[in-house]
């Protein structure tokens, strides 16, 4: 008979691994996190790295994401293939951190969002749903560590958006007793969290939502104009060499998503390749050269962030700082544009306040896994619009106990 598997969750230090794959489809981000509720902040990053997908696999994943008629067999295969990539990333990040997997209490895996249709976007006859790929059983089998995964589904079941899920981590790591802060993550999609001064879980003014496009369209444009040589506009160099076309930018800002009130979330289905195709077609008709087009789409990210702050955040309370996290924080041109759009705020990066902004979203899933195993809420109803607070995630146990 199999002996019981114990999860090491004493009241002291807990080691965990967070895993995620974002809308940019770059690879698996992995973090080793030390959790200790007696400390402030209660989560400390030990190691972080993004393990790039093999070029061929990334191409297959991107193609599948854009194919509305992909078959069940292909989805099933991707689910297990992604699980293998996630398992490898967990093993390698533990090795880099000099941490034995037998000392890791659990893995919190977001997976890769393959499809996301929250209630407020579901048309008549559609059922709100979400699907994250990256089979947790494959991860648990590869590592011998319990895995908490599938965090979005319960929030969707309760009528919520199922996103964003990082605000709990923002509250843990970036709340300030005197200053109102906006934490603006810029990954493939942008999402903002408003943390009022002295914020606590349950505050009515603690909100978060997706602001719109982040780096996803910029990455696609950089690849197109370079014939596939570039995967991104590194440091915003292409945008810096161009000029913003205001008529095209004004047209793009008329997207109804920007006016929709939170709770709201979006993704590749709204700001993906089909929109890039339309933008490129418009640019050709308007005789906009490539560098100016990249500058204009960069300005779209900056202006949509500023517009979201003015519409939905500033009326709720004071804001002193906008803290940028994610890959967008490394785009100097984008950072300059955001600062110009919000001249009354201090626009800084997470590194300026002692937090690794690239790792923050990944750390969030270690925190959410911890909350699940403690039987505590992971969602924030004022953020997602869910009917109630809920424990998020599903637990997959490894096939046998971890032994030292």
């Amino acid at each position: 008979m199999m002996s019981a598997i114990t999860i090491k969750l004493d009241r002291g230090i807990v080691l965990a691994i967070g895993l995620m794959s974002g809308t940019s489809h770059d690879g698996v981000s992995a973090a080793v996190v030390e959790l200790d509720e007696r400390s402030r902040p209660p989560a400390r990053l030990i190691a972080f790295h993004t393990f790039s997908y093999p070029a061929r696999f990334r191409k297959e994943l991107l193609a599948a994401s854009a194919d509305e008629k992909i078959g069940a067999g292909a989805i099933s295969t991707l689910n297990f293939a992604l699980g293998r990539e996630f398992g490898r990333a967990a093993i390698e990040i533990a090795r880099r951190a000099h941490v034995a997997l037998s000392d890791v209490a659990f893995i919190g895996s977001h997976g890769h969002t393959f499809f996301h249709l929250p209630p407020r976007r579901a048309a008549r006859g559609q059922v709100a749903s979400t699907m994250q790929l990256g089979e947790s059983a494959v991860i648990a089998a590869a590592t011998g560590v319990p895995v908490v995964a599938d965090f979005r589904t319960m929030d969707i079941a309760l009528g919520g958006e199922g996103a964003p899920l990082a605000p709990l981590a923002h509250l843990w790591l970036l709340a300030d007793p005197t200053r109102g802060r906006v934490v603006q993550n810029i990954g493939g999609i942008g999402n903002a969290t408003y943390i009022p001064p002295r914020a606590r879980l349950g505050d009515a003014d603690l909100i978060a939502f997706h602001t719109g496009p982040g780096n996803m369209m910029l990455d696609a444009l950089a690849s197109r104009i370079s014939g596939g040589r570039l995967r991104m506009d590194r440091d915003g160099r292409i945008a810096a060499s161009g000029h913003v076309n205001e008529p095209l930018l004004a047209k793009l800002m008329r997207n109804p998503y920007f006016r929709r009130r939170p709770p709201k979330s979006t993704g590749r289905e709204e700001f993906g390749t089909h929109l890039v195709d339309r933008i490129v077609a418009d640019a050709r008709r308007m005789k906009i050269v490539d560098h100016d087009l990249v500058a204009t789409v960069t300005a779209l990210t900056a202006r949509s962030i500023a517009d979201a702050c003015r519409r939905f955040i500033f009326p709720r309370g004071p804001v002193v700082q906008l803290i940028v996290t994610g890959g967008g924080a490394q785009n100097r041109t984008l950072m300059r544009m955001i600062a110009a759009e919000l001249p009354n705020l201090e626009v800084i990066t997470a590194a300026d306040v002692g937090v690794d902004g690239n790792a923050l979203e990944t750390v969030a899933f270690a925190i959410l896994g911890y909350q699940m195993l403690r039987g505590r809420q992971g969602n924030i109803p004022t953020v997602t619009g869910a009917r109630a607070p809920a424990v998020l995630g599903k637990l997959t146990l490894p096939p046998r106990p971890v032994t030292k």
Side-chain angles (χ1 to χ4, degrees):
M1 179 181 291
M2 265 188 159
S3 56
I5 294 171
T6 58
I7 301 175
K8 307 176 187 70
L9 281 186
D10 57 33
R11 292 292 172 179
I13 294 173
V14 173
L15 283 176
I17 291 175
L19 299 172
M20 72 169 292
S21 171
T23 49
S24 295
H25 294 62
D26 291 333
V28 180
S29 294
V32 176
V33 184
E34 182 182 277
L35 300 162
D36 186 353
E37 293 189 67
R38 302 166 301 180
S39 300
R40 288 292 174 267
R44 184 172 73 89
L45 180 67
I46 304 298
F48 172 77
H49 190 75
T50 296
F51 299 94
S52 297
Y53 290 128
R56 182 174 177 178
F57 181 74
R58 181 174 187 264
K59 186 176 180 180
E60 291 173 356
L61 185 58
L62 282 165
S65 298
D67 184 0
E68 294 183 358
K69 297 181 180 179
I70 184 171
I75 296 173
S76 180
T77 299
L78 273 177
N79 185 37
F80 273 64
L82 278 163
R84 188 173 58 216
E85 295 293 329
F86 276 60
R88 288 171 179 166
I91 292 167
E92 179 59 21
I93 197 64
R95 187 191 68 79
R96 293 185 181 210
H98 306 290
V99 168
L101 284 170
S102 57
D103 291 330
V104 175
F106 66 91
I107 293 169
S109 176
H110 168 256
H112 178 90
T113 299
F114 186 75
F115 182 80
H116 188 68
L117 183 68
R120 291 160 189 80
R121 284 218 314 274
R124 184 184 296 275
Q126 289 183 309
V127 176
S129 64
T130 187
M131 176 183 286
Q132 277 63 236
L133 302 183
E135 177 54 52
S136 59
V138 175
I139 304 170
T143 61
V145 178
V147 178
V148 183
D150 214 7
F151 292 100
R152 298 191 189 277
T153 50
M154 179 56 76
D155 193 80
I156 290 272
L158 289 169
E161 293 283 310
L165 294 180
L168 183 63
H170 297 162
L171 185 62
W172 274 38
L173 299 175
L174 290 166
D176 189 272
T178 61
R179 289 175 289 195
R181 287 172 160 174
V182 175
V183 182
Q184 177 69 52
N185 182 68
I186 307 176
I189 292 293
N191 58 278
T193 301
Y194 174 50
I195 308 175
R198 301 175 300 280
R200 293 181 180 276
L201 193 61
D203 285 359
D205 286 326
L206 177 65
I207 64 164
F209 55 94
H210 288 165
T211 53
N215 301 316
M216 185 162 43
M217 293 198 300
L218 290 173
D219 294 347
L221 281 175
S223 178
R224 286 195 188 196
I225 69 175
S226 68
R229 288 183 298 104
L230 298 177
R231 291 175 62 171
M232 68 182 75
D233 181 13
R234 192 172 298 278
D235 297 329
R237 294 171 192 164
I238 301 172
S241 67
H243 295 90
V244 175
N245 184 286
E246 287 293 340
L248 178 58
L249 178 58
K251 179 179 179 180
L252 295 174
M253 282 299 300
R254 288 197 288 272
N255 188 311
Y257 179 80
F258 300 132
R259 298 191 299 275
R260 192 183 308 161
R261 296 191 63 81
K264 62 178 181 175
S265 60
T266 189
R268 186 169 292 276
E269 58 279 353
E270 193 147 15
F271 293 102
T273 53
H274 66 288
L275 181 57
V276 173
D277 291 341
R278 292 208 304 267
I279 292 171
V280 169
D282 284 343
R284 286 173 179 164
R285 283 195 298 271
M286 298 169 72
K287 295 182 169 51
I288 300 172
V289 298
D290 289 343
H291 289 57
D292 291 352
L293 179 57
V294 175
T296 302
V297 175
T298 303
L300 173 65
T301 293
R303 188 161 296 178
S304 61
I305 289 168
D307 181 68
C309 287
R310 287 189 288 266
R311 285 179 189 267
F312 308 123
I313 293 177
F314 293 165
R316 288 181 170 268
V319 179
V320 176
Q321 294 174 323
L322 185 136
I323 302 172
V324 182
T325 70
Q330 298 166 26
N331 184 323
R332 297 177 186 178
T333 304
L334 177 57
M335 290 292 289
R336 285 197 298 270
M337 287 181 173
I338 295 170
E341 291 278 353
L342 295 168
N344 295 324
L345 294 190
E346 182 185 6
V347 178
I348 59 177
T349 68
D352 294 323
V353 291
V355 173
D356 187 329
N358 292 323
L360 185 54
E361 295 269 300
T362 311
V363 171
F365 292 101
I367 292 172
L368 285 170
Y370 180 82
Q371 290 289 96
M372 183 271 181
L373 293 170
R374 290 286 191 206
R376 300 173 183 165
Q377 77 179 85
N379 70 334
I380 303 175
T382 56
V383 167
T384 67
R387 293 189 294 273
V391 177
L392 304 183
K394 302 171 186 175
L395 176 63
T396 300
L397 296 176
R400 58 186 178 274
V402 178
T403 56
K404 292 187 179 180

